[in-house]
Amino acid sequence: SSIDPAKESKNHRFPQEEAPSAAMAIGRVMGSRLRGLMAKECVALPGAFNGLVARMVVDTGFKGGYFSGGALSASTGVPDIGLTSVDTFASRIKEVVSVSDLPIIADADTGFGEGEMVRRTVEEYCWAGAAGLHIEDQVFPKRCGHLDGKALVPTDVFCEKVERAAEASQRCSGGEFIICARTDAAGVPGEGFDRAVERATAYVKSGADMIFPEGLQSEDDFRRFAEEMRKLPGPAPGGGPFMLANMTEFGKTPYLTLEQFQGHGYHCVIYPVSTLRAAMKGVEECLQTLKDEGTLESFLPRMQSRKELYEAMSYKPLEEWKYPSTSGKK
């Protein structure tokens, strides 16, 4: 259903003298929607790195999506090392949400800076329509969570970032915008699984609604981590914070199903770069076919047809198309 932010927020009390703008209320609505979904089931969040992919995520029947910094960076031709600005992230998030109406968890890397920048990032993402974001405890410049050579900031430094993020969520959404804290400690020499649990516990106490343990290397690790988190206070059914699992390809994590993650106590699973990898492999093979054969006629069965492309955009030639003509709205 379409969102009427003004109507949704009319009776909600915000810690401000004046009611929030409609743009600010969208983050509250989306955050509340995703919280409701996760209270019922483990939600699959496929990567949606642009508006067209987001439309296809909706049309395939998924209830939410994920916005990956790695996929955004790669789509601009640069690696995932923190080169892309918060403004670029927020602009693309707005694009994704406006045409899909999906509740999105969005990557915010290390928060784009220290406390004040983390606050700004939460508000920018909230205004763009995200349901929540995650920030990570790596030093800047960060690395992909499934690479070696990562280094972490001190726990107290990251706790301060989480506190600032939680304060900003209260200000811009009444606390419904989800603050997810990611820890990379499990895969860092000198840290490890137990330190990752200790860090995550501190992040929950600092105001995190959700925990993202990155780089776990066994199914049992996922189970044990979620068990430890359920001992804490939090918004998730059964206690503790909401739990996010990353089912990326070609990484350190074994391939588990959505049902397996749910059985171990996870509330959402992200597939961050899957759609980008699939699309770019198709582009690579398309270009090679053109180079080798001088025509793409043999490649046509593997292309999205004109009709399929128009359908993905809810576009019918010769009929007025009304922006944003959100997918999934019949």
Side-chain angles (χ1 to χ4, degrees), residues 206-224:
S206 297
D209 304 299
M210 177 185 282
I211 291 295
F212 172 1
E214 177 64 305
L216 299 186
Q217 299 186 34
S218 74
E219 184 175 354
D220 191 54
D221 282 349
F222 278 100
R223 179 191 61 77
R224 290 192 297 129

Side-chain angles (χ1 to χ4, degrees), residues 62 64 94 105 116 129 148 169 202 208 218 256 287 289 312 321-322:
F62 290 97
K94 181 180 179 182
I105 290 288
E116 284 304 317
D148 296 327
S169 172
S218 74
L256 303 178
L287 292 172
T289 299
W321 187 88
K322 297 179 180 179

Side-chain angles (χ1 to χ4, degrees), residues 9-324:
S9 63
K10 182 171 61 175
N11 297 317
H12 191 86
R13 295 179 62 190
F14 283 76
Q16 301 159 283
E17 292 185 1
E18 298 182 358
S21 67
M24 292 171 76
I26 290 174
R28 185 185 75 82
V29 174
M30 288 297 195
S32 179
R33 186 191 298 177
L34 185 55
R35 287 170 185 266
L37 288 169
M38 293 190 297
K40 299 174 184 176
E41 61 185 300
C42 184
V43 184
L45 303 177
F49 61 92
N50 64 24
L52 182 57
V53 174
R55 287 182 180 277
M56 296 176 73
V57 170
V58 173
D59 290 342
T60 309
F62 290 97
K63 299 175 182 178
Y66 176 71
F67 185 80
S68 162
L72 171 63
S73 298
S75 73
T76 67
V78 300
D80 182 21
I81 54 174
L83 298 176
T84 312
S85 72
V86 64
D87 297 316
T88 301
F89 270 74
S91 176
R92 190 74 70 86
I93 291 166
K94 181 180 179 182
E95 170 189 310
V96 164
V97 174
S98 65
V99 300
S100 70
D101 198 26
L102 282 172
I104 296 284
I105 290 288
D107 187 354
D109 287 345
T110 58
F112 301 98
E114 300 307 317
E116 284 304 317
M117 197 63 198
V118 170
R119 258 197 286 253
R120 180 195 164 195
T121 300
V122 169
E123 299 218 8
E124 293 285 355
Y125 279 34
C126 190
W127 296 339
L133 58 69
H134 67 74
I135 53 175
E136 63 202 63
D137 56 7
Q138 286 194 55
V139 300
F140 182 86
K142 51 78 54 87
R143 297 169 66 87
C144 168
H146 289 254
L147 294 179
D148 296 327
K150 297 181 293 183
L152 307 183
V153 299
T155 301
D156 61 338
V157 171
F158 192 71
C159 282
E160 184 176 349
K161 286 189 175 185
V162 174
E163 289 170 3
R164 298 295 179 271
E167 290 168 5
S169 172
Q170 283 293 335
R171 200 184 83 81
C172 71
S173 73
E176 291 295 325
F177 183 88
I178 297 165
I179 303 302
C180 176
R182 166 178 146 178
T183 179
D184 287 67
V188 174
E191 294 276 342
F193 183 91
D194 290 342
R195 284 288 296 133
V197 169
E198 290 175 12
R199 280 177 170 265
T201 299
Y203 303 159
V204 170
K205 292 178 179 178
S206 297
D209 304 299
M210 177 185 282
I211 291 295
F212 172 1
E214 177 64 305
L216 299 186
Q217 299 186 34
S218 74
E219 184 175 354
D220 191 54
D221 282 349
F222 278 100
R223 179 191 61 77
R224 290 192 297 129
F225 207 106
E227 266 184 9
E228 292 296 325
M229 293 298 101
R230 281 196 295 275
K231 298 175 183 178
L232 303 174
F242 290 110
M243 295 297 297
L244 179 153
N246 179 9
M247 189 59 269
T248 191
E249 302 82 22
F250 312 110
K252 297 179 181 294
T253 296
Y255 292 97
L256 303 178
T257 67
L258 187 69
E259 291 74 20
Q260 285 175 302
F261 280 118
Q262 178 166 313
H264 295 315
Y266 288 79
H267 304 93
C268 63
V269 180
I270 61 172
Y271 304 83
V273 196
S274 311
T275 54
L276 178 87
R277 287 190 175 113
M280 291 304 99
K281 187 64 175 178
V283 169
E284 177 187 331
E285 293 173 353
C286 173
L287 292 172
Q288 193 61 54
T289 299
L290 180 59
K291 181 74 164 56
D292 293 343
E293 301 177 14
T295 175
L296 287 172
E297 186 174 4
S298 68
F299 200 82
L300 291 179
R302 300 176 60 191
M303 287 187 181
Q304 187 181 49
S305 70
R306 184 188 301 273
K307 180 176 181 292
E308 289 167 335
L309 176 60
Y310 287 174
E311 287 176 349
M313 296 184 290
S314 301
Y315 172 61
K316 296 180 180 179
L318 304 181
E319 293 185 13
E320 182 181 7
W321 187 88
K322 297 179 180 179
Y323 177 85

